[in-house]
Coordinates of all heavy atoms in Angstrom, one line a residue:
M8 N -55.1 6.8 38.0 CA -56.0 5.9 37.2 C -57.1 5.3 38.1 O -56.9 4.9 39.2 CB -55.2 4.8 36.6 CG -56.0 3.8 35.8 SD -54.9 2.9 34.7 CE -55.2 1.3 35.4
S9 N -58.3 5.4 37.6 CA -59.5 5.0 38.3 C -59.8 3.5 38.1 O -59.6 3.0 37.0 CB -60.7 5.8 37.9 OG -61.9 5.2 38.4
N10 N -60.1 2.8 39.2 CA -60.6 1.4 39.1 C -62.1 1.3 39.2 O -62.6 0.2 39.3 CB -59.9 0.6 40.1 CG -58.4 0.4 39.9 OD1 -58.0 0.3 38.7 ND2 -57.6 0.4 40.9
K11 N -62.8 2.4 39.2 CA -64.2 2.3 39.3 C -64.8 2.0 38.0 O -64.4 2.5 36.9 CB -64.7 3.7 39.8 CG -64.2 4.1 41.1 CD -64.7 5.5 41.6 CE -64.3 6.6 40.6 NZ -64.8 7.9 41.1
A12 N -65.9 1.2 38.0 CA -66.6 0.8 36.8 C -68.0 0.6 37.1 O -68.4 0.2 38.2 CB -65.9 -0.5 36.2
I13 N -68.8 0.8 36.0 CA -70.2 0.5 36.0 C -70.5 -0.5 34.9 O -70.0 -0.3 33.8 CB -71.1 1.7 35.9 CG1 -70.9 2.7 37.0 CG2 -72.6 1.3 35.7 CD1 -71.6 4.0 36.9
F14 N -71.2 -1.6 35.2 CA -71.4 -2.6 34.2 C -72.9 -2.5 33.7 O -73.8 -2.3 34.4 CB -71.3 -4.0 34.8 CG -69.9 -4.4 35.2 CD1 -69.3 -3.9 36.4 CD2 -69.1 -5.1 34.4 CE1 -68.0 -4.2 36.7 CE2 -67.8 -5.4 34.7 CZ -67.2 -5.0 35.9
F15 N -73.0 -2.5 32.4 CA -74.3 -2.3 31.7 C -74.6 -3.6 30.9 O -73.7 -4.0 30.1 CB -74.2 -1.1 30.7 CG -74.1 0.2 31.3 CD1 -72.8 0.7 31.5 CD2 -75.2 0.9 31.7 CE1 -72.6 2.0 32.1 CE2 -75.0 2.2 32.3 CZ -73.7 2.7 32.5
D16 N -75.7 -4.2 31.2 CA -76.1 -5.3 30.3 C -76.6 -4.7 29.0 O -77.2 -3.7 28.9 CB -77.3 -6.1 31.0 CG -77.6 -7.4 30.3 OD1 -76.9 -7.8 29.4 OD2 -78.7 -8.0 30.7
R17 N -76.2 -5.4 27.9 CA -76.6 -4.9 26.6 C -78.1 -4.8 26.4 O -78.7 -3.8 26.3 CB -75.9 -5.7 25.5 CG -76.0 -5.0 24.1 CD -75.7 -5.9 23.0 NE -76.9 -6.6 22.6 CZ -77.0 -7.4 21.5 NH1 -75.9 -7.6 20.8 NH2 -78.1 -8.0 21.2
D18 N -78.7 -6.0 26.3 CA -80.2 -6.0 26.0 C -81.0 -5.6 27.1 O -81.0 -6.2 28.2 CB -80.6 -7.5 25.5 CG -79.9 -7.9 24.2 OD1 -79.6 -7.0 23.4 OD2 -79.6 -9.1 24.1
G19 N -81.8 -4.5 26.9 CA -82.7 -4.0 27.9 C -82.1 -2.8 28.6 O -82.8 -2.1 29.3
V20 N -80.8 -2.5 28.5 CA -80.2 -1.4 29.1 C -79.6 -0.5 28.0 O -79.9 0.7 27.9 CB -79.1 -1.8 30.2 CG1 -78.4 -0.5 30.7 CG2 -79.7 -2.6 31.3
I21 N -78.7 -1.0 27.2 CA -78.1 -0.3 26.1 C -79.1 -0.2 25.0 O -79.3 0.9 24.4 CB -76.8 -1.0 25.6 CG1 -75.7 -1.1 26.7 CG2 -76.2 -0.2 24.4 CD1 -75.2 0.2 27.2
N22 N -79.7 -1.3 24.7 CA -80.7 -1.3 23.6 C -82.0 -1.9 24.0 O -82.0 -2.6 25.1 CB -80.1 -2.1 22.4 CG -79.9 -3.5 22.7 OD1 -78.9 -3.9 23.4 ND2 -80.7 -4.4 22.2
L23 N -83.0 -1.7 23.3 CA -84.3 -2.3 23.6 C -84.3 -3.8 23.4 O -83.7 -4.3 22.5 CB -85.4 -1.7 22.7 CG -85.6 -0.2 22.8 CD1 -86.7 0.3 21.8 CD2 -85.9 0.3 24.2
R24 N -84.9 -4.5 24.4 CA -84.9 -5.9 24.4 C -86.1 -6.5 23.7 O -87.2 -6.0 24.0 CB -84.8 -6.4 25.8 CG -84.8 -7.9 25.9 CD -84.5 -8.3 27.4 NE -84.7 -9.8 27.5 CZ -85.7 -10.4 28.1 NH1 -86.6 -9.7 28.7 NH2 -85.8 -11.7 28.2
Y25 N -86.0 -7.4 22.9 CA -87.1 -8.1 22.2 C -87.5 -9.3 23.1 O -86.6 -10.2 23.2 CB -86.8 -8.5 20.8 CG -86.5 -7.3 19.9 CD1 -85.2 -7.0 19.6 CD2 -87.6 -6.6 19.4 CE1 -85.0 -5.9 18.7 CE2 -87.3 -5.5 18.5 CZ -86.0 -5.2 18.2 OH -85.8 -4.1 17.4
I26 N -88.7 -9.4 23.6 CA -89.1 -10.6 24.3 C -89.3 -11.7 23.4 O -89.9 -11.6 22.3 CB -90.4 -10.3 25.1 CG1 -90.3 -9.1 26.0 CG2 -90.9 -11.5 25.9 CD1 -89.2 -9.2 27.1
D27 N -88.7 -12.9 23.7 CA -88.8 -14.1 22.9 C -88.2 -13.9 21.5 O -88.7 -14.6 20.5 CB -90.2 -14.6 22.8 CG -90.8 -15.0 24.2 OD1 -90.0 -15.5 25.0 OD2 -92.0 -14.8 24.4
N28 N -87.3 -13.0 21.3 CA -86.6 -12.8 20.0 C -85.2 -12.2 20.3 O -84.9 -12.0 21.4 CB -87.5 -11.9 19.1 CG -87.2 -12.1 17.7 OD1 -86.3 -12.8 17.3 ND2 -88.0 -11.5 16.8
Y29 N -84.5 -12.0 19.2 CA -83.1 -11.6 19.3 C -82.8 -10.4 18.4 O -83.5 -10.3 17.3 CB -82.1 -12.7 19.0 CG -82.2 -13.9 19.9 CD1 -83.0 -15.0 19.6 CD2 -81.6 -13.9 21.1 CE1 -83.1 -16.1 20.4 CE2 -81.7 -15.0 22.0 CZ -82.5 -16.1 21.6 OH -82.6 -17.1 22.5
V30 N -81.8 -9.6 18.7 CA -81.3 -8.6 17.8 C -80.5 -9.4 16.8 O -79.4 -10.0 17.2 CB -80.5 -7.6 18.5 CG1 -79.8 -6.6 17.5 CG2 -81.3 -6.8 19.5
K31 N -80.9 -9.5 15.5 CA -80.2 -10.3 14.6 C -79.5 -9.4 13.5 O -78.7 -10.0 12.7 CB -81.2 -11.2 13.9 CG -81.9 -12.2 14.8 CD -82.8 -13.1 14.1 CE -84.1 -12.5 14.0 NZ -85.2 -12.7 14.8
S32 N -79.6 -8.1 13.6 CA -78.9 -7.3 12.6 C -78.9 -5.8 13.2 O -79.6 -5.5 14.2 CB -79.7 -7.2 11.3 OG -80.9 -6.5 11.4
T33 N -78.1 -5.0 12.5 CA -78.1 -3.6 13.0 C -79.4 -2.9 12.8 O -79.7 -2.0 13.6 CB -77.0 -2.8 12.3 OG1 -77.2 -2.9 10.8 CG2 -75.6 -3.3 12.6
D34 N -80.2 -3.4 11.9 CA -81.6 -2.8 11.7 C -82.5 -3.1 13.0 O -83.4 -2.3 13.3 CB -82.3 -3.4 10.5 CG -81.6 -2.9 9.2 OD1 -81.0 -1.8 9.2 OD2 -81.8 -3.6 8.2
D35 N -82.2 -4.2 13.6 CA -83.0 -4.6 14.8 C -82.5 -3.9 16.1 O -83.2 -3.9 17.1 CB -82.9 -6.1 15.1 CG -83.5 -7.0 14.0 OD1 -84.4 -6.5 13.3 OD2 -83.1 -8.1 13.9
F36 N -81.3 -3.3 16.0 CA -80.7 -2.7 17.2 C -81.2 -1.3 17.4 O -80.9 -0.4 16.6 CB -79.1 -2.7 17.1 CG -78.4 -2.4 18.3 CD1 -77.9 -3.4 19.1 CD2 -78.2 -1.1 18.8 CE1 -77.3 -3.1 20.3 CE2 -77.6 -0.8 20.0 CZ -77.1 -1.8 20.7
V37 N -82.0 -1.1 18.5 CA -82.6 0.2 18.8 C -82.0 0.6 20.2 O -82.3 0.0 21.2 CB -84.1 0.2 18.8 CG1 -84.7 1.5 19.2 CG2 -84.6 -0.3 17.5
F38 N -81.3 1.7 20.2 CA -80.7 2.2 21.5 C -81.9 2.6 22.4 O -82.8 3.2 22.0 CB -79.8 3.4 21.2 CG -78.5 3.1 20.7 CD1 -78.3 3.1 19.3 CD2 -77.5 2.6 21.5 CE1 -77.0 2.8 18.8 CE2 -76.2 2.3 21.0 CZ -76.0 2.4 19.6
H39 N -81.6 2.3 23.7 CA -82.5 2.8 24.7 C -82.4 4.3 24.8 O -81.4 4.9 24.7 CB -82.1 2.2 26.1 CG -83.1 2.4 27.2 ND1 -83.3 3.6 27.8 CD2 -84.1 1.6 27.7 CE1 -84.2 3.5 28.7 NE2 -84.8 2.3 28.6
K40 N -83.6 5.0 24.9 CA -83.6 6.4 24.7 C -82.8 7.2 25.7 O -82.3 8.3 25.4 CB -85.1 6.9 24.8 CG -85.7 6.7 26.1 CD -87.2 7.2 26.1 CE -87.9 7.0 27.4 NZ -87.8 8.1 28.3
D41 N -82.5 6.6 26.9 CA -81.7 7.4 27.9 C -80.2 7.1 27.9 O -79.5 7.7 28.7 CB -82.3 7.0 29.3 CG -83.7 7.5 29.5 OD1 -84.1 8.6 28.9 OD2 -84.5 6.9 30.2
I42 N -79.8 6.1 27.2 CA -78.4 5.7 27.3 C -77.4 6.8 26.9 O -76.3 6.9 27.5 CB -78.1 4.4 26.5 CG1 -76.8 3.7 27.0 CG2 -78.1 4.6 25.0 CD1 -76.8 3.3 28.4
F43 N -77.7 7.7 26.0 CA -76.8 8.7 25.6 C -76.8 9.9 26.6 O -75.9 10.7 26.5 CB -77.2 9.2 24.2 CG -76.9 8.2 23.1 CD1 -78.0 7.6 22.4 CD2 -75.7 7.7 22.8 CE1 -77.8 6.7 21.5 CE2 -75.4 6.8 21.9 CZ -76.5 6.2 21.2
Q44 N -77.7 9.9 27.6 CA -77.6 10.8 28.7 C -76.8 10.2 29.8 O -76.1 10.9 30.6 CB -79.0 11.2 29.1 CG -79.7 12.0 28.1 CD -81.2 12.2 28.4 OE1 -81.7 11.6 29.3 NE2 -81.9 13.1 27.7
I45 N -76.9 8.9 30.0 CA -76.3 8.2 31.1 C -74.8 8.1 30.9 O -74.0 8.4 31.8 CB -76.9 6.8 31.3 CG1 -78.4 7.0 31.7 CG2 -76.1 6.0 32.3 CD1 -79.2 5.7 31.7
L46 N -74.3 7.7 29.7 CA -72.9 7.4 29.5 C -72.0 8.6 29.7 O -70.9 8.5 30.3 CB -72.7 6.8 28.1 CG -73.2 5.4 27.9 CD1 -73.0 4.9 26.5 CD2 -72.6 4.4 28.9
P47 N -72.4 9.8 29.3 CA -71.5 11.0 29.6 C -71.4 11.2 31.1 O -70.3 11.6 31.6 CB -72.2 12.1 28.9 CG -73.0 11.5 27.8 CD -73.4 10.2 28.3
K48 N -72.4 11.0 31.9 CA -72.4 11.1 33.3 C -71.4 10.2 33.9 O -70.7 10.5 34.9 CB -73.8 11.0 33.9 CG -74.7 12.1 33.6 CD -76.1 12.0 34.2 CE -77.0 13.1 33.7 NZ -78.3 13.0 34.2
V49 N -71.4 8.9 33.4 CA -70.5 7.9 33.9 C -69.1 8.4 33.7 O -68.2 8.3 34.6 CB -70.8 6.6 33.2 CG1 -69.7 5.5 33.5 CG2 -72.1 6.0 33.6
K50 N -68.8 8.9 32.5 CA -67.5 9.4 32.2 C -67.1 10.5 33.1 O -65.9 10.6 33.6 CB -67.4 9.7 30.7 CG -66.0 10.1 30.3 CD -65.9 10.3 28.8 CE -64.5 10.7 28.4 NZ -64.4 10.8 26.9
T51 N -68.0 11.5 33.3 CA -67.7 12.6 34.1 C -67.4 12.2 35.5 O -66.5 12.9 36.2 CB -69.0 13.6 34.2 OG1 -69.3 14.0 32.8 CG2 -68.8 14.8 35.0
L52 N -68.0 11.2 36.0 CA -67.7 10.7 37.4 C -66.4 9.8 37.4 O -66.1 9.2 38.5 CB -68.9 9.9 37.9 CG -70.2 10.7 38.1 CD1 -71.4 9.8 38.4 CD2 -69.9 11.7 39.3
N53 N -65.8 9.7 36.3 CA -64.5 9.0 36.2 C -64.6 7.5 36.4 O -63.8 6.8 36.9 CB -63.4 9.6 37.1 CG -62.0 9.3 36.6 OD1 -61.8 9.2 35.4 ND2 -61.1 9.3 37.5
Y54 N -65.8 6.9 35.9 CA -66.0 5.5 35.9 C -65.8 4.9 34.5 O -66.0 5.6 33.5 CB -67.5 5.2 36.3 CG -67.8 5.2 37.8 CD1 -67.9 6.5 38.4 CD2 -67.9 4.1 38.5 CE1 -68.2 6.5 39.8 CE2 -68.2 4.1 39.9 CZ -68.4 5.4 40.5 OH -68.7 5.4 41.8
K55 N -65.4 3.7 34.5 CA -65.3 3.0 33.2 C -66.7 2.4 32.9 O -67.3 1.8 33.9 CB -64.2 1.9 33.2 CG -62.8 2.4 33.4 CD -61.9 1.3 33.5 CE -60.5 1.9 33.7 NZ -59.5 0.9 33.9
A56 N -67.1 2.5 31.7 CA -68.4 1.8 31.3 C -68.1 0.5 30.6 O -67.4 0.5 29.6 CB -69.2 2.7 30.4
I57 N -68.6 -0.6 31.2 CA -68.3 -1.9 30.7 C -69.6 -2.5 30.3 O -70.6 -2.6 31.1 CB -67.6 -2.8 31.7 CG1 -66.2 -2.1 32.0 CG2 -67.4 -4.2 31.2 CD1 -65.5 -2.8 33.2
V58 N -69.7 -3.0 29.0 CA -70.9 -3.6 28.5 C -70.8 -5.1 28.7 O -69.7 -5.7 28.2 CB -71.2 -3.2 27.1 CG1 -72.5 -4.0 26.6 CG2 -71.4 -1.7 27.0
I59 N -71.7 -5.8 29.2 CA -71.7 -7.3 29.3 C -73.0 -7.8 28.6 O -74.0 -7.1 28.4 CB -71.8 -7.8 30.8 CG1 -73.0 -7.2 31.5 CG2 -70.5 -7.4 31.5 CD1 -73.2 -7.8 32.9
T60 N -72.8 -9.0 28.1 CA -73.9 -9.6 27.3 C -73.8 -11.1 27.2 O -72.7 -11.6 27.1 CB -74.1 -8.9 25.9 OG1 -75.2 -9.4 25.3 CG2 -72.9 -9.1 25.0
N61 N -74.9 -11.7 27.2 CA -74.9 -13.2 27.0 C -75.8 -13.4 25.8 O -77.0 -13.2 25.9 CB -75.5 -13.9 28.3 CG -75.7 -15.3 28.1 OD1 -75.1 -15.9 27.1 ND2 -76.4 -16.0 28.9
Q62 N -75.2 -13.8 24.7 CA -75.9 -13.9 23.4 C -76.1 -15.4 23.1 O -75.4 -16.0 22.4 CB -75.1 -13.2 22.3 CG -75.1 -11.7 22.6 CD -76.4 -11.1 22.6 OE1 -77.3 -11.3 21.8 NE2 -76.7 -10.2 23.6
R63 N -77.3 -15.9 23.6 CA -77.6 -17.3 23.3 C -77.9 -17.5 21.8 O -77.9 -18.7 21.4 CB -78.8 -17.7 24.1 CG -78.5 -17.8 25.6 CD -79.7 -18.3 26.4 NE -80.8 -17.3 26.3 CZ -82.0 -17.5 26.8 NH1 -82.4 -18.6 27.3 NH2 -82.9 -16.5 26.7
C64 N -78.1 -16.5 21.1 CA -78.4 -16.6 19.7 C -77.2 -17.2 18.9 O -77.4 -17.9 17.9 CB -78.8 -15.3 19.1 SG -77.6 -13.9 19.3
I65 N -76.0 -17.1 19.5 CA -74.9 -17.7 18.9 C -74.9 -19.2 19.0 O -74.8 -20.0 18.1 CB -73.5 -17.2 19.5 CG1 -73.4 -15.7 19.2 CG2 -72.3 -17.9 19.0 CD1 -73.2 -15.3 17.8
S66 N -75.1 -19.7 20.3 CA -75.1 -21.1 20.5 C -76.3 -21.8 19.9 O -76.3 -23.0 19.6 CB -75.1 -21.4 22.0 OG -76.3 -20.9 22.7
R67 N -77.4 -21.0 19.7 CA -78.6 -21.6 19.0 C -78.5 -21.5 17.5 O -79.4 -21.9 16.8 CB -79.8 -20.8 19.5 CG -80.1 -21.1 21.0 CD -81.3 -20.4 21.5 NE -81.6 -20.8 22.9 CZ -82.6 -20.4 23.5 NH1 -83.6 -19.7 23.0 NH2 -82.8 -20.8 24.8
G68 N -77.4 -20.9 17.0 CA -77.3 -20.9 15.5 C -78.2 -19.9 14.8 O -78.3 -20.0 13.6
I69 N -78.7 -18.9 15.6 CA -79.6 -17.9 15.0 C -78.8 -16.9 14.2 O -79.3 -16.4 13.1 CB -80.5 -17.3 16.1 CG1 -81.4 -18.4 16.6 CG2 -81.3 -16.1 15.5 CD1 -82.2 -18.0 17.9
I70 N -77.7 -16.5 14.7 CA -76.8 -15.6 14.0 C -75.4 -16.1 14.2 O -75.1 -16.8 15.1 CB -76.9 -14.1 14.4 CG1 -76.4 -13.9 15.9 CG2 -78.3 -13.6 14.2 CD1 -76.3 -12.4 16.3
S71 N -74.5 -15.6 13.3 CA -73.1 -16.0 13.4 C -72.3 -15.1 14.3 O -72.8 -13.9 14.6 CB -72.4 -16.0 12.0 OG -72.4 -14.6 11.5
E72 N -71.1 -15.5 14.7 CA -70.2 -14.6 15.5 C -69.9 -13.3 14.7 O -69.8 -12.3 15.3 CB -69.0 -15.3 16.0 CG -69.3 -16.4 17.0 CD -68.0 -17.0 17.6 OE1 -67.0 -16.3 17.8 OE2 -68.0 -18.2 17.7
S73 N -69.7 -13.5 13.4 CA -69.3 -12.3 12.6 C -70.5 -11.3 12.6 O -70.3 -10.1 12.6 CB -68.9 -12.7 11.2 OG -69.9 -13.3 10.5
K74 N -71.7 -11.8 12.5 CA -72.9 -10.9 12.5 C -73.0 -10.2 13.9 O -73.3 -9.0 14.0 CB -74.1 -11.7 12.2 CG -75.4 -10.9 12.0 CD -75.1 -10.0 10.8 CE -76.4 -9.5 10.2 NZ -76.2 -8.6 9.1
L75 N -72.7 -11.0 15.0 CA -72.7 -10.3 16.3 C -71.6 -9.3 16.4 O -71.9 -8.2 16.9 CB -72.5 -11.4 17.4 CG -72.6 -10.9 18.8 CD1 -73.9 -10.3 19.1 CD2 -72.2 -12.0 19.8
S76 N -70.5 -9.5 15.8 CA -69.4 -8.5 15.8 C -69.8 -7.3 15.1 O -69.6 -6.1 15.5 CB -68.1 -9.1 15.2 OG -67.6 -10.0 16.1
E77 N -70.5 -7.5 14.0 CA -71.1 -6.3 13.2 C -72.0 -5.5 14.0 O -72.0 -4.3 14.0 CB -71.8 -6.9 11.9 CG -72.3 -5.8 11.0 CD -73.1 -6.5 9.8 OE1 -72.6 -7.4 9.2 OE2 -74.2 -6.0 9.5
I78 N -72.9 -6.2 14.7 CA -73.9 -5.5 15.6 C -73.1 -4.7 16.7 O -73.4 -3.5 17.0 CB -74.9 -6.5 16.2 CG1 -75.8 -7.1 15.1 CG2 -75.7 -5.8 17.3 CD1 -76.6 -8.3 15.5
H79 N -72.1 -5.3 17.3 CA -71.4 -4.7 18.4 C -70.5 -3.5 17.9 O -70.4 -2.5 18.5 CB -70.6 -5.7 19.2 CG -71.4 -6.5 20.1 ND1 -70.9 -7.7 20.7 CD2 -72.7 -6.4 20.4 CE1 -71.9 -8.2 21.4 NE2 -73.0 -7.5 21.2
N80 N -70.0 -3.7 16.7 CA -69.3 -2.5 16.1 C -70.2 -1.4 15.8 O -69.8 -0.2 16.1 CB -68.6 -3.0 14.8 CG -67.4 -3.9 15.0 OD1 -66.8 -3.9 16.1 ND2 -67.0 -4.7 14.1
F81 N -71.4 -1.6 15.3 CA -72.4 -0.6 15.1 C -72.7 0.1 16.5 O -72.8 1.3 16.5 CB -73.7 -1.2 14.6 CG -74.9 -0.3 14.5 CD1 -75.0 0.6 13.5 CD2 -75.9 -0.4 15.5 CE1 -76.1 1.5 13.5 CE2 -77.0 0.4 15.5 CZ -77.1 1.4 14.5
M82 N -72.9 -0.7 17.5 CA -73.2 -0.2 18.8 C -72.1 0.8 19.3 O -72.3 1.8 19.8 CB -73.4 -1.3 19.8 CG -73.7 -0.9 21.3 SD -73.8 -2.2 22.4 CE -72.1 -2.8 22.4
Q83 N -70.9 0.3 19.2 CA -69.7 1.1 19.6 C -69.5 2.4 18.8 O -69.0 3.4 19.4 CB -68.5 0.3 19.7 CG -68.5 -0.8 20.7 CD -67.3 -1.7 20.7 OE1 -66.8 -2.0 19.7 NE2 -66.9 -2.1 21.9
D84 N -69.8 2.3 17.6 CA -69.6 3.5 16.7 C -70.6 4.6 17.1 O -70.4 5.7 17.1 CB -69.8 3.2 15.2 CG -68.6 2.4 14.7 OD1 -67.6 2.4 15.3 OD2 -68.8 1.9 13.6

């Protein structure tokens, strides 16, 4: 079992980041064009891919936790 991992920040790496705005729905979520080429290479090298994210939009009341879960489920699918 491998303990190797690569950490990917969500906004700006997995998906396009909106400056001074937030991804508020799946319609706003646009994958970065290279991510689908990168992730298979990570798997081939036997690394775990771990996504990290700090979503201030929750604490600011811009979207709900359930909406964020919907966006993350879309991303994982």
